[in-house]
Amino acid sequence: MVRIMIVEPKVRGFICATAHPVGCRENVKRQIEYMKKLGSCDGPKKVLVIGASTGYGLASRIAAAYCTGAATIGVMFEKESNGRRTATPGYYNTKAFEEFAHADGLYAKSINGDAFSKEIKDQVIDLIRSDLGSVDMVVYSLAAPRRTTADGTTYQSVLKTTSSDFTNKSWNLKDNTVGEATITPATEEETLATVKVMGGEDWIDWMNALSDAGVLADGAITLAYSYIGPKLTYPVYFNGTIGMAKKHLQESAAIINQTLADQHVKAYISVNKALVTQASAAIPIVPLYFAILYKVMKEKGLHEGCIEQIGRLFHEKLFSGNAPVLDEEGRIRLDDWELREDIQKEVMEIWDKINTDNVKELADIDGYWDDFYHMFGFRFPNVDYSQDVEI
Ligand code: NAI
């Protein structure tokens, strides 16, 4: 059913219940234009992106297509419009990406479904086999709230500490006040469930499935994204349940490297910068840190969004020389600017004095909300939101 209507943002807490198709297209178009301007680099030509419709995964897909000219297959879990509600932003983003890619003569196909399932893995393998033969790069960029494993068990990820209560300043997104939030400790079961969802088990499953099916090219590379952040957020992130999952992701890179060594497959973790995405907006305490970080990094001319981060990943970290640029633990560091001493010093000084009265002055509240609305296709000055659109 074709439904035409005016689409307005419906924001509830950290989520927006609507998405604007034309605005989402604009968002994708801008990212493609950025990547085109950055120019081409030598890299993989057949790329599978798992979690390709928003955030870091979408930026990765755009980079693969427009930096190295790769054919891309994207996997995502997005909702189509049911005729009354709009589709999710990732649905519109994917549609727009495919249109742009096709117009530019690039192969792009997408599979919408649960990447954790065997069914979707099989569909992707069939598609690679029939259309591309093999893939030489796999980006694993899932951010999911739950995962159902092959035996039918559903695991739910939680954002909690792994020790005691953690109380700190928190910005209430509903009314822009700064108060306090307390994050409670997870049970052992909750921590294990979070590792099941956001750890590397499914990444390993994907790589083994691709290899067993003979659709993984010799010497292929695979990447998954992680976050470390400042000591301030360690209790909720690095040492929290999500941090445990990220440690598992890191260990999984080593397992993939071992298991697929005779195929010369190389697995990397890229530690990325804190950015507003649908996944990260849900973490308490963290958004206030983000808004302060944005302010400080913008003032120093060092602010990057997903597309700038992934542009730098391709051009400066992965494909700039004979080997990727890694830290002493073998990780790619795109959080190098975020964690710079001068940046963190300023962020912490602001953190100590920020309150409801000065939050607008000391943190980049507008920048945060712009990014937030842009994710759902809103607040682009060249989009006419008073017009009816087909949802
Ligand atoms: P996002 O929410 O923008 O993207 C998640 C993607 O996963 C979407 O394409 C979504 O459709 C897909 N997805 C979710 N569940 C799925 C399922 N069951 N089957 C298939 N696809 C599914 O998230 P974001 O922030 O881009 O996160 C991607 C990765 O980057 C995550 O591992 C995250 O931890 C990591 N990261 C994020 C940072 C941030 O500040 N946003 C910082 C550093 C790392």
Side-chain angles (χ1 to χ4, degrees):
M1 183 175 46
V2 176
R3 174 83 193 274
I4 310 273
M5 61 190 227
I6 290 174
V7 180
E8 286 173 344
K10 280 197 191 123
V11 177
R12 295 189 197 109
F14 54 80
I15 197 80
C16 178
T18 52
H20 199 282
V22 179
C24 288
R25 187 186 167 81
E26 177 63 23
N27 190 7
V28 172
K29 184 167 161 249
R30 287 178 181 212
Q31 295 192 48
I32 290 176
E33 277 166 2
Y34 175 84
M35 219 36 104
K36 278 183 173 170
K37 239 187 255 157
L38 215 53
S40 56
C41 62
D42 202 15
K45 295 287 178 260
K46 292 181 271 183
V47 177
L48 168 64
V49 182
I50 303 158
S53 55
T54 55
Y56 277 117
L58 172 63
S60 306
R61 188 176 196 182
I62 293 173
Y66 288 92
C67 281
T68 74
T72 58
I73 293 178
V75 182
M76 69 285 309
F77 204 22
E78 301 292 347
K79 280 205 187 88
E80 258 183 86
S81 164
N82 61 5
R84 278 174 291 116
R85 292 172 63 131
T86 65
T88 50
Y91 180 87
Y92 294 133
N93 290 343
T94 302
K95 216 167 167 291
F97 172 80
E98 286 186 359
E99 278 171 25
F100 287 121
H102 295 161
D104 288 324
L106 292 161
Y107 173 99
K109 282 192 186 171
S110 310
I111 291 185
N112 192 7
D114 183 6
F116 293 123
S117 69
K118 180 170 182 315
E119 188 194 336
I120 291 297
K121 290 185 177 76
D122 288 345
Q123 275 185 36
V124 170
I125 286 166
D126 287 347
L127 184 62
I128 298 173
R129 199 177 275 133
S130 69
D131 287 9
L132 305 177
S134 62
V135 285
D136 50 6
M137 180 176 186
V138 180
V139 179
Y140 189 83
S141 186
L142 284 191
R146 69 189 69 83
R147 168 184 174 207
T148 302
T149 47
D151 63 1
T153 313
T154 298
Y155 297 91
Q156 200 89 33
S157 77
V158 298
L159 291 160
K160 292 188 175 181
T161 74
T162 51
S163 50
S164 45
D165 278 2
F166 173 60
T167 301
N168 212 320
K169 287 183 182 173
S170 193
W171 166 36
N172 188 344
L173 300 175
K174 281 193 198 120
D175 58 10
N176 280 339
T177 57
V178 176
E180 268 191 353
T182 297
I183 298 167
T184 53
T187 61
E188 205 171 310
E189 209 179 350
E190 284 175 319
T191 304
L192 289 174
T194 308
V195 173
K196 275 275 181 195
V197 182
M198 288 298 286
E201 197 174 68
D202 182 62
W203 183 24
I204 297 174
D205 286 354
W206 265 102
M207 296 310 294
N208 287 338
L210 295 166
S211 167
D212 291 349
V215 295
L216 192 62
D218 191 76
I221 63 166
T222 182
L223 281 182
Y225 298 137
S226 188
Y227 182 67
I228 295 176
K231 293 219 163 56
L232 170 77
T233 60
Y234 271 18
V236 46
Y237 203 101
F238 189 64
N239 292 327
T241 49
I242 181 76
M244 296 306 121
K246 291 301 184 192
K247 283 189 185 84
H248 188 271
L249 197 67
Q250 174 86 47
E251 289 156 16
S252 304
I255 293 172
I256 293 169
N257 282 329
Q258 263 170 17
T259 324
L260 302 178
D262 45 350
Q263 266 184 269
H264 312 101
V265 171
K266 287 263 183 286
Y268 299 103
I269 294 292
S270 173
V271 185
N272 297 356
K273 179 196 178 194
L275 280 174
V276 185
T277 62
Q278 290 185 73
S280 64
I283 312 176
I285 298 177
V286 166
L288 182 60
Y289 165 75
F290 281 27
I292 300 172
L293 182 73
Y294 274 34
K295 170 101 177 170
V296 174
M297 292 190 82
K298 279 182 187 173
E299 274 171 7
K300 293 200 188 294
L302 291 174
H303 179 71
E304 297 172 299
C306 289
I307 199 70
E308 289 86 1
Q309 278 264 292
I310 302 299
R312 197 151 65 88
L313 172 70
F314 272 59
H315 279 270
E316 294 179 27
K317 304 281 186 185
L318 265 183
F319 308 121
S320 57
N322 293 331
V325 182
L326 306 174
D327 71 3
E328 62 288 350
E329 287 179 51
R331 301 166 301 195
I332 298 165
R333 300 304 293 264
L334 289 171
D335 62 343
D336 44 359
W337 297 353
E338 170 180 352
L339 293 186
R340 246 171 58 169
E341 216 178 303
D342 58 330
I343 302 278
Q344 284 302 321
K345 185 168 173 281
E346 253 184 72
V347 170
M348 291 312 139
E349 280 166 12
I350 294 177
W351 184 271
D352 287 340
K353 59 185 180 205
I354 204 157
N355 57 40
T356 301
D357 298 333
N358 60 21
V359 65
K360 283 214 162 114
E361 178 199 333
L362 296 181
D364 185 18
I365 302 295
D366 292 342
Y368 183 97
W369 282 117
D370 276 348
D371 275 15
F372 179 88
Y373 279 95
H374 285 169
M375 280 196 300
F376 299 92
F378 297 105
R379 287 199 186 169
F380 287 108
N382 56 338
V383 174
D384 183 354
Y385 294 100
S386 66
Q387 293 290 311
D388 281 328
V389 285
E390 191 186 309
I391 61 163

